[in-house]
Amino acid sequence: MTFTPTPQQLRDADRRCREMASPERQLQAALHQAEGYRNFLATLTGLLAAVFVLKGQEDLSKLADTPRWWVTGLLIAGFLALIAASWLGVLAVHGRPGEEVLLEAGRLLRYEKKRTKTIWLLVECARWLALAGVLCVAGAVIVTWVAPGGK
């Protein structure tokens, strides 16, 4: 049994495609996705902080010098990456303060296209930074588990 669309269904689908491809709808979709990533990053950062505090070694001074420096460096890098990712998420959703949009049709369309591309770029960078942050924090936790004690 095959599906054969009616001419009306084809016209409706074509209209929806044009609507979805409009700069306004693309901008709305990009903002919606950026909001989701921003919320995810905030949750992830809090969760990782809690996991490290609860599951990591309580006193890093018990580690040998080299592992202790690795843990410290990984934690700093991880949390800086997560903070940067969160900041990019906020920029993607809210833009820069004071940004003006000139109310002229051609300029508005150009702004919507440019803003959509900017949002996708910011979200993509935030995703990679979040992944790097998670890996750094996880690496720090693993080092505390397997590294030999020092002093």
Side-chain angles (χ1 to χ4, degrees), residues 6-130:
T6 66
Q8 182 61 40
Q9 288 173 322
L10 289 172
R11 283 191 297 276
D12 289 345
D14 187 49
R15 178 188 48 78
R16 288 193 310 273
C17 284
R18 283 193 308 274
E19 266 183 32
M20 288 171 56
S22 74
E24 176 189 11
R25 291 291 293 266
Q26 290 292 309
L27 181 57
Q28 289 172 354
L31 284 169
H32 184 70
Q33 185 180 28
E35 288 171 1
Y37 275 109
R38 180 194 59 191
N39 296 339
F40 166 73
L41 286 167
T43 303
L44 179 67
T45 304
L47 180 64
L48 282 175
V51 165
F52 186 76
V53 168
L54 296 174
K55 296 293 182 189
Q57 209 175 76
E58 290 180 20
D59 187 2
L60 295 181
S61 66
K62 294 177 185 174
L63 290 174
D65 286 341
T66 302
R68 185 175 59 239
W69 285 109
W70 271 102
V71 169
T72 303
L74 285 168
L75 284 176
I76 290 170
F79 284 113
L80 285 177
L82 289 167
I83 289 168
S86 296
W87 180 253
L88 291 177
V90 169
L91 279 178
V93 173
H94 299 290
R96 296 192 181 278
E99 184 176 29
E100 285 188 37
V101 180
L102 300 174
L103 299 177
E104 188 265 311
R107 287 184 177 174
L108 180 61
L109 287 172
R110 284 191 299 278
Y111 167 79
E112 288 173 339
K113 285 184 178 186
K114 181 181 176 195
R115 180 76 178 117
T116 301
K117 287 179 184 175
T118 301
I119 290 169
W120 293 127
L121 177 66
L122 290 170
V123 167
E124 187 67 20
C125 290
R127 285 176 38 192
W128 284 107
L129 281 169

Side-chain angles (χ1 to χ4, degrees), residues 128-151:
W128 284 107
L129 281 169
L131 177 62
V134 167
L135 293 175
C136 285
V137 173
V141 170
I142 290 169
V143 170
T144 64
W145 290 340
V146 300
K151 306 168 185 162

